[in-house]
Amino acid sequence: MKLSIYGLVLAILIISYAPISRAEEPANKPWHITLTAGMGHNDNVPRVDGSLLLSDVLANIKRRESLLGRFTVDATYDLIRTDQHILTLGYNMFTDRNFSGGNLDKLDYLEHGIWVGYQKKLTPNTIGSLKLSGRYNSYGTHHVRNVAGIEPAIVYRLNNILSVGLNGLFQMNDLKNRPLFGGARNADQSGEVYQLTPVVYFSVPNTGIKANVRYRTGRNRTEGGGFDYNEDAVSAGISLQLPWQVSADMTFWHYWRDYDDLGPTVTRERKDDIDTYKVIATRPITDSTQFYINFEHTQMQSNGVFFEYRQNVVTSGIIITF
């Protein structure tokens, strides 16, 4: 792990002195593609702290930490783009590949997503949008989940510094693998998610500083009932322009989840507290290529001890835009 950190620091120093080409801005085009390729380290791939492995997917896992490769694709195409209307098709792919053996390839994660989004300027200071999406998830060779979602949103700009918004989400989850805990009936996690999120956006003119705070309330309903819960969450994020043309984005979330039922492994109503931190820094190499370094931390505390874990993921690599 120390060698990985030293390597990342050395890469940052090298990139700091890399030349940056100054090509002219390309003309507006209807399509955009972003590719990322990186390497890094995950200190808790199965996301468990105890020795009890809870599902077929986790069976016979011999290691917890791993070197990983992370690759993403984001592509959009504007079917309509005017001053009043934007209609966009999108595709995204995200994958983590584990390279350290110990059967951790069974936890290689793959996600494909497609979406269509419509945005309309309702007033000079108000924008409304609607997004329809579908997603496919797998671990190793196991197809574990299909997701379909609807996301309405509205944003109102109060002035050059402050905007407020309201985001909604209705999501349907269809789990494809066998339920955890030996197929217990109340462990079936297929179901629906309902969320409502007020947002306040801040922007400081001429500084590159942008920030937001969010409060989210929601409900997760499952077919089995053992994973039904109410959720409240708060978030804060900030974007900064730093010296040497470095851009940094930092995001924090804290979640409170209050379950309805005892669940399959606890003797009282389950309660979770989850903290997530994400920091990403980027610096241009050329007009279409950036170097990035990313750190993610997750800590989950629960009165169901089998659900508790701590995870740190560090990755760095290249971002290419077309």
Side-chain angles (χ1 to χ4, degrees):
M1 181 62 179
K2 289 183 179 179
L3 290 176
S4 299
I5 295 298
Y6 295 153
L8 294 177
V9 173
L10 178 60
I12 293 173
L13 293 175
I14 293 173
I15 294 296
S16 296
Y17 293 96
I20 300 174
S21 66
R22 298 298 181 186
E24 294 182 0
E25 287 293 323
N28 288 335
K29 60 181 185 291
W31 57 271
H32 298 275
I33 300 174
T34 301
L35 309 176
T36 70
M39 297 290 293
H41 181 267
N42 184 339
D43 71 353
N44 188 2
V45 178
R47 296 187 294 182
V48 294
D49 281 347
S51 60
L52 180 62
L53 302 177
L54 301 177
S55 74
D56 294 339
V57 175
L58 294 178
N60 299 316
I61 297 298
K62 302 295 194 304
R63 295 178 62 96
R64 288 176 53 185
E65 64 177 334
S66 178
L67 297 176
L68 65 87
R70 175 168 291 181
F71 309 95
T72 72
V73 177
D74 287 284
T76 62
Y77 185 86
D78 292 334
L79 296 172
I80 299 173
R81 177 172 284 273
T82 69
D83 291 340
Q84 300 295 320
H85 307 274
I86 302 175
L87 180 64
T88 304
L89 298 178
Y91 165 77
N92 57 272
M93 185 277 293
F94 177 99
T95 186
D96 275 350
R97 300 291 172 175
N98 299 293
F99 298 133
S100 296
N103 289 336
L104 285 174
D105 58 329
K106 298 174 68 174
L107 294 178
D108 288 350
Y109 180 74
L110 175 64
E111 176 179 303
H112 292 283
I114 56 173
W115 57 270
V116 56
Y118 174 69
Q119 180 176 297
K120 177 176 174 57
K121 193 172 185 178
L122 303 174
T123 74
N125 294 324
T126 309
I127 295 176
S129 64
L130 182 67
K131 181 178 180 181
L132 308 178
S133 63
R135 195 166 72 244
Y136 161 100
N137 304 111
S138 67
Y139 281 100
T141 59
H142 292 258
H143 174 196
V144 297
R145 184 171 65 168
N146 291 331
V147 178
I150 303 174
E151 301 174 62
I154 190 168
V155 177
Y156 178 73
R157 188 176 67 136
L158 296 169
N159 51 49
N160 290 336
I161 298 176
L162 189 64
S163 299
V164 294
L166 185 64
N167 303 334
L169 171 67
F170 171 69
Q171 179 176 291
M172 295 175 290
N173 299 318
D174 180 17
L175 268 75
K176 295 297 184 182
N177 66 328
R178 288 172 53 190
L180 305 182
F181 317 111
R185 289 177 59 87
N186 68 342
D188 186 350
Q189 298 181 61
S190 296
E192 299 89 38
V193 175
Y194 310 85
Q195 294 176 355
L196 193 64
T197 307
V199 191
V200 180
Y201 302 95
F202 306 89
S203 179
V204 182
N206 304 317
T207 66
I209 298 175
K210 297 181 180 180
N212 65 80
V213 293
R214 302 169 188 258
Y215 166 73
R216 190 171 81 192
T217 185
R219 172 72 177 170
N220 187 75
R221 190 205 69 82
T222 62
E223 296 292 337
F227 288 86
D228 289 7
Y229 60 80
N230 295 318
E231 179 182 78
D232 292 286
V234 292
S235 171
I238 188 169
S239 299
L240 302 171
Q241 296 297 318
L242 303 176
W244 302 298
Q245 296 182 301
V246 174
S247 299
D249 293 278
M250 294 165 279
T251 306
F252 164 76
W253 277 95
H254 181 83
Y255 306 84
W256 297 270
R257 291 179 179 172
D258 189 359
Y259 288 75
D260 296 355
D261 202 352
L262 300 180
T265 65
V266 296
T267 58
R268 57 194 184 279
E269 291 183 1
R270 178 180 163 191
K271 296 182 185 296
D272 296 342
D273 286 301
I274 307 168
D275 290 313
T276 67
Y277 305 84
K278 181 175 181 179
V279 181
I280 181 169
T282 62
R283 187 186 189 277
I285 304 171
T286 70
D287 57 297
S288 61
T289 307
Q290 300 178 76
F291 171 79
Y292 82 89
I293 180 170
N294 179 72
F295 172 72
E296 300 169 19
H297 170 80
T298 303
Q299 180 165 341
M300 179 166 172
Q301 296 178 307
S302 176
N303 62 350
V305 63
F306 301 135
F307 300 103
E308 290 191 335
Y309 71 90
R310 178 181 295 181
Q311 182 185 63
N312 295 295
V313 180
V314 179
T315 56
S316 66
I318 300 297
I319 303 172
I320 303 173
T321 57
F322 299 92

